[in-house]
Amino acid sequence: MAKADLAARALLREFRIVTPPVNPFELAERLNVLVVPQGMDDDVSGMLLRKDGSCIIGVNEAHSFERQRFTVAHELGHLRLHEGRPLILDIDARVNYRNAMSSMATDREEVDANRFAAALLAPEEMVRQATQRISFRTTEDLVRVLARRFQLSEMAMTYRLMNLGIVSGPAR
């Protein structure tokens, strides 16, 4: 199992979360991370700022609720998995951004943070249990029901189900 999956599982266990939907905003608060919705360029989903032991997650307030949830979970992944990257600002700080490039997951840290977010918001065991408990006729039905239950976009749920080997491809 990948480090990101293990880290997400450990965070869920730490706060005794066993049923969906997982609330990344509440987890951030419990980790003493301030989440600040703010205006950002449309291609920027969020950022993680660390300074002097404090952490702030900025999340694009114009994005959908499901995307904001994924962004906060993604930034929590950076917090748990990575030291951060230096960025020259007017202050000495370390920042991770989540933008269109990181969504494509070409950078190793971004791949890890996306994997962490998926494992945090749709933990394998919870997804498999939910899949067994619901009735569905098509992959599209399964994706729609699970996306609602886990408060993810249908696209994010489709990728999660594909990565878990529950479906073989996107619903048509």
Side-chain angles (χ1 to χ4, degrees), residues 104-116:
M104 294 168 49
T106 54
D107 175 280
R108 181 79 249 158
E109 286 190 2
E110 296 305 322
V111 170
D112 289 346
N114 283 341
R115 185 170 183 144
F116 177 93

Side-chain angles (χ1 to χ4, degrees), residues 108-152:
R108 181 79 249 158
E109 286 190 2
E110 296 305 322
V111 170
D112 289 346
N114 283 341
R115 185 170 183 144
F116 177 93
L120 184 70
L121 297 176
E124 181 174 2
E125 187 176 318
M126 289 184 208
V127 170
R128 291 191 186 283
Q129 288 174 357
T131 301
Q132 292 172 354
R133 290 185 182 139
I134 62 174
S135 60
F136 57 93
R137 287 198 246 175
T138 65
T139 299
E140 191 174 72
D141 290 341
L142 175 65
V143 167
R144 188 175 20 261
V145 170
L146 292 178
R148 225 180 351 247
R149 180 166 293 167
F150 287 86
Q151 295 182 355
L152 289 173

Side-chain angles (χ1 to χ4, degrees), residues 48-112:
L48 173 64
L49 172 67
R50 302 176 235 213
K51 183 171 180 352
D52 301 330
S54 295
C55 297
I56 299 171
I57 292 174
V59 63
N60 192 328
E61 65 188 3
H63 287 177
S64 71
F65 172 70
E66 292 82 7
R67 187 160 180 189
Q68 287 183 37
R69 286 172 40 78
F70 195 90
T71 295
V72 171
H74 174 99
E75 300 305 342
L76 290 175
H78 281 303
L79 182 64
R80 285 294 173 113
L81 297 169
H82 310 124
E83 291 181 19
R85 297 183 182 141
L87 178 69
I88 300 170
L89 297 171
D90 290 334
I91 57 172
D92 179 27
R94 297 179 78 73
V95 177
N96 291 102
Y97 283 100
R98 180 167 190 270
N99 59 17
M101 181 60 84
S102 65
S103 300
M104 294 168 49
T106 54
D107 175 280
R108 181 79 249 158
E109 286 190 2
E110 296 305 322
V111 170
D112 289 346

